[in-house]
Amino acid sequence: MAKETEEKKTLRTIEMKWIGKISAKPDYVEILLYVDSFGKKYDEVFEEAGKNIQKLIKAVEGTSFKKTDLKTRDFELETVYDTVAKEVYKTKKVDGKNKREKETKYEKVFKGYKLKHRMRFNFDFDMKNLAKVLSAFSECKAKPEMGIAFTVKDKDALNEELLAKASKDAKKCAETIITTAGAKLGKLLKVDYNWPKHAYCSRTRFDRRVSYSMACMAAPNEKGASFDIEPDEIKVSDSANFTWEIE
């Protein structure tokens, strides 16, 4: 009796690591406001912070927005000290004789409390609204430092578009390679993706280190003219690994 052997088929696969790239025009503005309040006593610093918030609210209400559009991001209370140098004299014996020597000692002296308040103010990108907001904050007596980012409102939609493009391009490339080799691309077996967090921000941005006057260039002057800003496109890339069966 003949012995039959069944040959196990080896699964043939192709793996593609593909980087998807996408660009989008900014349609949303995110403004971060930094305001520090100081007081020698605990209650004084909170009183000062409350006054600064009211000044910012007044600035917001002077535009087309509401005070509820101004959101607190975080705040931090810290103790402030000054380092004070004090000169002291000590008597030491040198060669059997008393000699006075001067030494400098440094002491930490309590100065008060500082409350770091961070707020955000977001709205749909519009040059006129941006000019109004920058003008309002530049005239605000709380004197906030600002960080301005141009981004997109629907980040999830942009992320889905990015992944869809990466998947489509990877499959097209795999089909081209397999077809050229005389085979056929089979079903998708595996996808590896790390789900990174993207900022989705334009490279055009102001940060708090920039001169305050520069951040106010977009505000209209006495003649109504303003520095027009056209933010650079948002460019994002992402990668994923795809594994298909080869038929």
Side-chain angles (χ1 to χ4, degrees):
M1 186 174 181
K3 187 177 181 181
E4 295 182 1
T5 59
E6 185 176 339
E7 192 175 310
K8 188 177 180 181
K9 291 184 178 180
T10 302
L11 183 65
R12 298 184 303 165
T13 62
I14 180 172
E15 183 177 342
M16 300 286 297
K17 180 178 181 180
W18 201 260
I19 299 176
K21 297 180 180 179
I22 196 172
S23 60
K25 190 174 181 180
D27 63 4
Y28 205 54
V29 180
E30 294 181 350
I31 299 180
L32 290 180
L33 300 167
Y34 307 82
V35 178
D36 292 342
S37 302
F38 177 81
K40 290 185 177 181
K41 295 182 180 180
Y42 191 79
D43 55 346
E44 288 179 358
V45 69
F46 279 97
E47 182 180 353
E48 180 67 20
K51 291 179 180 178
N52 285 331
I53 293 174
Q54 291 304 314
K55 292 173 184 176
L56 288 170
I57 289 175
K58 186 177 180 181
V60 170
E61 289 179 335
T63 65
S64 57
F65 298 97
K66 301 177 182 178
K67 67 177 184 180
T68 52
D69 293 322
L70 184 65
K71 309 290 185 182
T72 293
R73 185 177 181 181
D74 59 71
F75 60 88
E76 177 185 357
L77 181 67
E78 64 179 32
T79 308
V80 181
Y81 292 91
D82 268 347
T83 301
V84 179
K86 288 187 177 182
E87 294 182 347
V88 295
Y89 290 88
K90 289 186 177 182
T91 303
K92 293 183 179 180
K93 278 195 173 184
V94 180
D95 297 330
K97 297 181 180 180
N98 291 331
K99 186 177 180 180
R100 294 185 70 193
E101 292 185 350
K102 183 174 68 173
E103 293 183 357
T104 302
K105 287 188 174 182
Y106 296 91
E107 296 181 357
K108 290 176 67 177
V109 179
F110 175 75
K111 187 178 181 182
Y113 298 97
K114 179 190 286 187
L115 182 64
K116 297 180 178 180
H117 197 175
R118 308 294 177 260
M119 288 153 283
R120 60 181 177 85
F121 189 71
N122 305 337
F123 53 91
D124 294 335
F125 176 64
D126 177 84
M127 200 56 225
K128 290 182 179 180
N129 283 334
L130 179 59
K132 288 179 182 178
V133 170
L134 290 178
S135 179
F137 286 140
S138 67
E139 295 172 2
C140 179
K141 293 183 179 180
K143 296 299 179 184
E145 293 184 351
M146 290 187 289
I148 307 172
F150 300 95
T151 181
V152 289
K153 191 172 186 177
D154 194 345
K155 295 178 176 62
D156 290 338
L158 190 60
N159 190 59
E160 289 174 5
E161 186 179 348
L162 176 62
L163 293 177
K165 189 177 189 307
S167 301
K168 184 179 178 181
D169 292 347
K171 185 178 180 181
K172 184 178 180 180
C173 184
E175 285 178 334
T176 301
I177 295 172
I178 295 303
T179 303
T180 304
K184 185 179 179 182
L185 191 67
K187 62 182 179 180
L188 180 64
L189 300 175
K190 184 181 178 182
V191 178
D192 289 327
Y193 182 64
N194 293 326
W195 297 101
K197 189 175 182 180
H198 298 289
Y200 294 117
C201 288
S202 168
R203 290 186 178 183
T204 305
R205 56 191 300 139
F206 292 119
D207 64 48
R208 57 184 305 194
R209 294 168 293 181
V210 179
S211 167
Y212 194 83
S213 60
M214 286 183 66
C216 297
M217 284 193 302
N221 58 26
E222 294 178 356
K223 296 182 180 180
S226 63
F227 184 77
D228 197 11
I229 297 174
E230 184 64 36
D232 192 14
E233 286 190 336
I234 298 167
K235 297 177 181 179
V236 187
S237 63
D238 207 346
S239 63
N241 291 334
F242 302 88
T243 304
W244 286 274
E245 181 183 2
I246 301 175
E247 294 181 354

